[in-house]
Amino acid sequence: MRCALFGDQIEAYEEVFKPSGQYEISKAPITAVDDQYKFNLEELPYQMTVGHQTIIQRLNPESGPIEPKYQPLSTIPRSPDPNGRYDVVGVVLFVEEAPRMIPNARGRDSPVREVSLTDTSQDHAMTISTWNDLTGKPCDAMNNWAEKFNVVGFTALKTRHTRGFTLNTTMSTRIIMNPKGARVDMLREWVKLYQHVLLDRQERILNVRYPSAEKKVVTIAELRSKKAANATPDEVAWIRVTIPEVDLQRVNAYIGCLGCGKWIHLALGTRFPCISCKKADTVAVHKYSVNTLP
Ligand SMILES: [Zn+2]
């Protein structure tokens, strides 16, 4: 039976289907097709259409569905690997209330919803951005995160290196609400024994998500010790400094690169690649500079 892909789907499914792979495909409508549209007469008189609801799962030729190979969050390579796919299981600490629309790699708006996941391998949580259909029912199922520490599995995630180190779902990702295995049992036991550790990590996430009016003042040394691996994306910190003899007649306000502060002639909020600091994805924000008196 033929299954034709159109437009965006061609690229999107390239990573899902591999020659000679075996798949279980569900929710793909099958319709009758006229003889005149067949490439050869051996083809069945049907065609399958892949849509938003379609679920494609790779099978092991002998034993059915491939079991997830859950790995600790700390063992996911921190260097970019466009082909790497990772299965993780962890405790859900936070799920964004509703999906947001943001531009995807192909420039179209897609729904995205962030989930924070943690495990015993590192002392902070990791952000997983769920995309498209996964932002609906699968995320809603984890919406009781405030009352319950659910242990949930995610398969076939890829890594993302803009705005810190995060994980993204792919076309092959499954969100498994009732995962099984030794690693899962260990995490469930951990949840029972170390509620205070999980509450503490959850609080850190909530402080970033819902910042209080009170400013968090840190030292420059504390800021320096922040690495992509131990910072929470979008975390805001304040430093208290004294600028001696500031020349208040010469305050320059302008729009510049979020990363390096380079002046840029773009509208506020525009995303762009910065030629000055070489960041592939940065954003135009308000910047200002002051001088000290000569
Ligand atoms: Zn820059």
Side-chain angles (χ1 to χ4, degrees):
M1 189 192 309
R2 186 132 46 101
C3 171
L5 299 172
F6 301 95
D8 271 5
Q9 292 181 327
I10 298 168
E11 212 179 316
Y13 283 94
E14 193 179 4
E15 62 176 40
V16 178
F17 290 119
K18 299 288 175 210
S20 83
Q22 293 187 21
Y23 302 88
E24 187 180 277
I25 300 172
S26 51
K27 295 192 189 170
I30 292 169
T31 50
V33 69
D34 274 356
D35 273 357
Q36 54 173 319
Y37 296 117
K38 288 185 189 172
F39 285 145
N40 59 60
L41 287 171
E42 276 92 79
E43 254 180 46
L44 291 170
Y46 304 107
Q47 67 175 359
M48 184 163 61
T49 315
V50 164
H52 275 301
Q53 305 279 308
T54 307
I55 299 166
I56 298 160
Q57 205 180 314
R58 183 151 191 189
L59 300 179
N60 258 332
E62 297 85 32
S63 52
I66 293 179
E67 288 301 315
K69 283 200 185 73
Y70 295 127
Q71 66 181 88
L73 291 171
S74 66
T75 64
I76 297 169
R78 261 51 179 177
S79 51
D81 174 8
N83 298 317
R85 294 292 181 273
Y86 310 96
D87 301 340
V88 298
V89 64
V91 182
V92 174
L93 295 181
F94 175 80
V95 179
E96 228 175 340
E97 211 163 282
R100 287 172 289 128
M101 298 300 288
I102 66 167
N104 63 21
R106 286 179 295 281
R108 305 245 180 111
D109 275 356
S110 299
V112 67
R113 197 166 170 185
E114 289 181 351
V115 176
S116 296
L117 197 75
T118 196
D119 70 5
T120 52
S121 72
Q122 52 187 34
D123 64 2
H124 56 278
M126 190 101 116
T127 301
I128 300 177
S129 295
T130 63
W131 290 83
N132 301 319
D133 285 354
L134 292 172
T135 62
K137 275 184 201 153
C139 275
D140 289 340
M142 297 182 280
N143 235 352
N144 62 348
W145 58 270
E147 296 104 63
K148 206 169 165 254
F149 290 124
N150 295 308
V151 177
V152 177
F154 292 79
T155 67
L157 298 173
K158 61 183 175 190
T159 59
R160 185 161 182 252
H161 301 264
T162 53
R163 285 179 60 236
F165 179 66
T166 60
L167 296 167
N168 271 237
T169 61
T170 63
M171 304 289 287
S172 323
T173 295
R174 283 185 297 145
I175 296 180
I176 304 168
M177 287 304 293
N178 287 303
K180 292 183 181 68
R183 193 161 174 78
V184 177
D185 295 342
M186 180 276 287
L187 286 170
R188 289 209 177 103
E189 200 60 25
W190 183 56
V191 169
K192 265 189 240 160
L193 297 171
Y194 292 91
Q195 292 267 326
H196 59 283
V197 172
L198 292 160
L199 284 167
D200 183 62
R201 290 183 192 182
Q202 190 170 54
E203 193 190 331
R204 271 194 274 160
I205 293 165
L206 294 177
N207 284 342
V208 173
R209 295 277 176 176
Y210 308 106
S212 65
E214 195 187 323
K215 286 175 184 166
K216 186 174 138 206
V217 179
V218 299
T219 62
I220 290 174
E222 281 172 315
L223 267 190
R224 283 219 170 105
S225 71
K226 288 265 178 205
K227 298 279 178 294
N230 65 9
T232 313
D234 298 325
E235 193 170 351
V236 174
W238 294 81
I239 47 172
R240 182 173 289 126
V241 293
T242 307
I243 306 168
E245 312 281 334
V246 62
D247 181 1
L248 289 172
Q249 303 306 312
R250 292 174 58 205
V251 176
N252 309 305
Y254 63 101
I255 292 174
C257 166
L258 173 68
C260 69
K262 177 81 183 160
W263 179 88
I264 185 90
H265 188 70
L266 285 173
L268 193 68
T270 311
R271 302 201 85 92
F272 68 100
C274 180
I275 50 167
S276 180
C277 65
K278 310 266 188 298
K279 274 208 170 77
D281 178 30
T282 184
V283 62
V285 296
H286 280 307
K287 288 273 169 185
Y288 63 88
S289 63
V290 288
N291 295 309
T292 51
L293 287 168

